[in-house]
Every structure is written in structure tokens, then in C-alpha cells.
Amino acid sequence: MPRLVVNPDSPEAWPIELQPGAISLGRSQENDFPIEHPSVSSSHCRITLSDDGAWLKDLGSTAGTFVNDELVEEARLQPGQTLRLGEVTMRFETGATEDNPPPAAPPLPPPLTPLPAVATSSRCKFHPQTLARFSCAQCRRTFCDLCVTARFVNGASRRFCRHCGSECQPLQPQLERAKPPPDFFVSLPRALLYPFQGNGVILLIAGTAFFYILGHLPFIGVILTGYLFAYAKSIITSTAEGRKDPPDWPDFTDWKDDILVPYLQLLALVVLCFGPAFIIAVWRPGTETEARIAYFAALGFGALFAPMGMLALAMFDTVAVLNPIALTWSILRVPLHYLVAAAAFETVLLLEWSAAGALQTLVPVPFLPDLIASFLNLYVTSVGMRILGLLYVNNQDKFGWFSRLRQ
């Protein structure tokens, strides 16, 4: 029976038995065989098994589908060929016996020799604020570390173009001295003006109307919360990329990826940070004084970890990073900057919460308090996420989260 072996020749190998007909692969649970890996698209590819053999078709994936390290849109699979979906490797097998051996695999290409680094001052095609470190001769584009795929070939780490699959040539951007980021304590007060930069005013007004109107519709809370959390993450990542203006509102094309996944990520963050305080408030262990001390200690724990958890979620886009030990190490790498950023982050949230509660009394006009509260919510969210983004920009080398991409 034809099959795909995921992670072949490794202890984590597992098979996908292929049946006649079309079989879809991707990260979404709606596929015939879900593959839960961040580099795999929601609907990545489809394999059709018929009397003519097995045919592979890419479904417009982001990272591309490769057969024997060649980017393909559609190809006929041969036994023994290696498939790669994003960073997940598979091998196509037919279960042929020695009496009916599979066709011989093509000879391996000669070992790759290191490409000479070329000095340049160009910038990344997709991150204009970032200096390019690699170039693709076929696409004639230059990329930063995050826009190329890293693979080990013949024991050496190589970088390949995500679009055409060709090996990228390393660049040396020393000719252009990158401007150091502004001092963290200098840039922190400027975060208060961030929501009004560029098209920020238009985004605030449109967002206020959007959330105010939908906020009065029943059963819409998950959509609003998930969408706002996705926008909050995009503010952090755009700040990390060096953008000075607020990003546009995210696309809403897939219910799961654009709404449900961000909502579940926020839920996981809240459970990690404030779940212990909730349990203590309900359980109330010990005496009244002991329970109160434990409750406030748990709240302090949540307040300490919430900003770093939010930053890690935005940068990695997976709840796997919500590891208290890993978050603690990240905090200890930048203790002063983090404590200041966390205090500023939570101060603006408390001010917004206090102002929203006082609006009903201060502005006794129908619908106006809720409208102002919606505006303040978006403004404070933008400022808070900008603060976390600036924390990363000024300390990314100390965090070392993506250091492996630069090796």
C-alpha cells in the first residue's frame, strides 16, 4: 500500500497510508491528514492516488512544496522521493518487494561548496527596514534571515529561497551601517503617540466604529476578541520589523486561523498567568489572611509573566512558548528594561479600565460612553503592544530567540 513516512529514518517517524482518491494535507484539522507544524499551511497540498500513479499538487502554500528539494506546483511521485512541506520532511513509499523493485533513485548531486559572500547595502524585499543577508539569483531578490528557509545539506546549513527553491547567496551588509534603535527609555514615551502615526487615526476611527457596532450583537464576543488579539500581535511584529506606523487591520479570510486560533492563544495566556489566582479565589486555602496573601501573590505572578507571554506569542505565534521556565529566562536576560516595559504596559491598561468605569458617570449621554470606551480600548491596546515591540527591538540580541537563523 502506498504511504508517506513523516520524519523518515528518525524516532519520530510515523506513516500516512494513502488510499485511492484525493487526500489533503495541511495544518488545519479539516484536512484528511492534519500536520500540526507552524511551517505547514492550513491547506498545503493534495495527493491523488489512481491507476496512473500518485500525483502531488500544491494548494498555494506559503512555504512551498518540494520534491527532492525542488519546488513544485504539481508532480508525479516516484517511490523513494523525499517531500518537504515547509520544514516537515516525508518520504513516498509504495511497499514494493524485491521482485518488483522501485526505479533507481537519481544520483545525489555533488556536495555543495560554500558560496562566497558578496558585500551589499540592499534591504530585504519583504522587510524594507531590515538589511538583506541573502540573495536569490533566479528571483533577483534579496532577503533577511526570516524570509529564507534553512536546511542542512551534506552536513552544512544552507539557505534557500521560499519562492523558487534555489539556494541563496549569502551577503555581507557591512557596507551600510544599520542605525541603532533609539534608547529604550527615550522611545518609551513616544509610544503614547504611536496610534496617531501614519494612517493610525483612520484605523482608530474605523476600528472604534467596527467594535462598537459589533459589540452590541449577540454571540459575537469570540470574533471581536480573537480579531483584536490578532491585531495586537501584528503591532508587536511590525514594530519588531522596524515599522514606525501602525499596521493595517488583519485580513479575515479564514475563521480558524484569523479568529479562533488567536482567541485560543489569548485564552491560554490568561490561564497561564491568572489561572492560579482564580483557583485560589475559588478554593480559598488556609485562613482568610493566608488565602488573601496567596491570591495577591498569584496576581503578581500573572502580572509579571503576562507581558513577556504576550511578546513571545506574537513573535512565535504558538502557545508552545508559554513555558514559565523559558519566559523566566527571557525576563532575566533584560530585567530592568522588562520591569519598566511591564509596568508601563500594565499602567496604561489600568488607566483605560479606570476611565471606562468612570465614563458612565462623567458622560451621561446615551451611547457616547460606550463609543469613547471602544476608542480608548483600541488606543491603549496599540500603545501597550508598541511598548512590547520596542522592548524586543532594543533587546533582540539579548533574547536570542532567533539566533539559530543567523548561524
Side-chain angles (χ1 to χ4, degrees):
M1 176 67 69
R3 66 177 185 172
L4 293 173
V5 179
V6 184
N7 302 322
D9 304 322
S10 72
E12 294 80 18
W14 58 280
I16 297 177
E17 303 293 340
L18 301 178
Q19 303 292 335
I23 297 172
S24 60
L25 303 174
R27 193 174 70 251
S28 172
Q29 295 295 325
E30 298 178 358
N31 292 282
D32 297 310
F33 290 96
I35 302 176
E36 297 182 358
H37 193 277
S39 66
V40 178
S41 297
S42 298
S43 298
H44 200 105
C45 67
R46 180 174 63 244
I47 296 178
T48 303
L49 194 64
S50 65
D51 295 336
D52 295 333
W55 289 86
L56 170 70
K57 182 177 178 60
D58 183 82
L59 300 178
S61 63
T62 301
T65 302
F66 295 79
V67 176
N68 284 354
D69 288 331
E70 291 186 5
L71 184 67
V72 299
E73 293 185 359
E74 189 170 359
R76 183 174 182 176
L77 298 179
Q78 300 294 336
Q81 285 184 325
T82 299
L83 284 65
R84 185 166 55 80
L85 281 58
E87 298 178 6
V88 178
T89 302
M90 308 177 183
R91 184 171 60 223
F92 177 64
E93 299 179 352
T94 60
T97 63
E98 294 181 357
D99 296 332
N100 184 25
L108 292 175
L112 295 175
T113 56
L115 294 172
V118 177
T120 181
S121 60
S122 60
R123 294 183 176 271
C124 176
K125 170 67 177 178
F126 300 105
H127 301 103
Q129 302 293 334
T130 305
L131 290 176
R133 292 174 56 87
F134 301 93
S135 69
C136 176
Q138 183 169 336
C139 292
R140 299 182 182 276
R141 293 176 175 176
T142 54
F143 306 104
C144 65
D145 292 307
L146 299 179
C147 294
V148 294
T149 299
R151 300 203 304 271
F152 279 92
V153 179
N154 296 330
S157 179
R158 305 288 182 179
R159 302 298 190 272
F160 294 85
C161 178
R162 293 182 183 270
H163 301 272
C164 68
S166 302
E167 186 181 8
C168 292
Q169 183 177 5
L171 303 174
Q172 292 180 346
Q174 287 85 355
L175 292 183
E176 180 179 348
R177 183 178 298 273
K179 295 181 179 179
D183 180 81
F184 177 70
F185 297 107
V186 173
S187 59
L188 197 59
R190 300 173 185 172
L192 297 174
L193 300 177
Y194 169 75
F196 305 110
Q197 301 293 325
N199 295 326
V201 175
I202 298 176
L203 294 172
L204 275 176
I205 294 175
T208 297
F210 174 78
F211 285 97
Y212 174 77
I213 295 173
L214 291 186
H216 290 78
L217 298 178
F219 310 111
I220 209 72
V222 172
I223 294 178
L224 290 179
T225 304
Y227 188 74
L228 182 59
F229 190 73
Y231 181 62
K233 292 194 301 178
S234 70
I235 293 176
I236 294 177
T237 54
S238 66
T239 301
E241 294 167 2
R243 290 187 54 180
K244 298 181 180 180
D245 302 337
D248 293 333
W249 288 101
D251 294 332
F252 183 6
T253 57
D254 184 270
W255 160 260
K256 178 184 176 184
D257 290 339
D258 300 331
I259 299 297
L260 184 59
V261 169
Y263 179 83
L264 294 178
Q265 289 178 343
L266 174 60
L267 185 62
L269 178 63
V270 172
V271 169
L272 169 70
C273 297
F274 301 105
F278 176 79
I279 294 175
I280 293 173
V282 175
W283 180 31
R284 306 187 69 81
T287 63
E288 182 70 20
T289 301
E290 292 173 341
R292 184 172 300 178
I293 293 174
Y295 174 74
F296 283 105
L299 276 183
F301 164 86
L304 177 65
F305 278 88
M308 182 59 73
M310 179 66 209
L311 177 59
L313 269 179
M315 299 305 298
F316 290 94
D317 198 28
T318 172
V319 295
V321 300
L322 297 180
N323 182 329
I325 297 177
L327 295 179
T328 300
W329 277 113
S330 297
I331 293 173
L332 293 177
R333 288 189 178 103
V334 290
L336 178 60
H337 282 191
Y338 179 73
L339 291 177
V340 173
F345 174 82
E346 288 159 1
T347 297
V348 293
L349 293 181
L350 288 174
L351 289 176
E352 187 271 336
W353 178 76
S354 302
L359 282 173
Q360 299 293 337
T361 303
L362 297 177
V363 187
V365 179
F367 81 82
L368 191 56
D370 291 339
L371 194 62
I372 298 176
S374 179
F375 177 86
L376 288 177
N377 184 33
L378 294 181
Y379 171 79
V380 167
T381 298
S382 299
V383 172
M385 298 307 114
R386 178 67 173 182
I387 291 173
L388 296 182
L390 292 173
L391 174 68
Y392 177 80
V393 167
N394 283 266
N395 298 280
Q396 52 185 313
D397 292 335
K398 295 181 180 179
F399 282 130
W401 287 346
F402 301 100
S403 59
R404 287 179 298 176
L405 295 176
R406 296 190 287 268
Q407 294 175 354

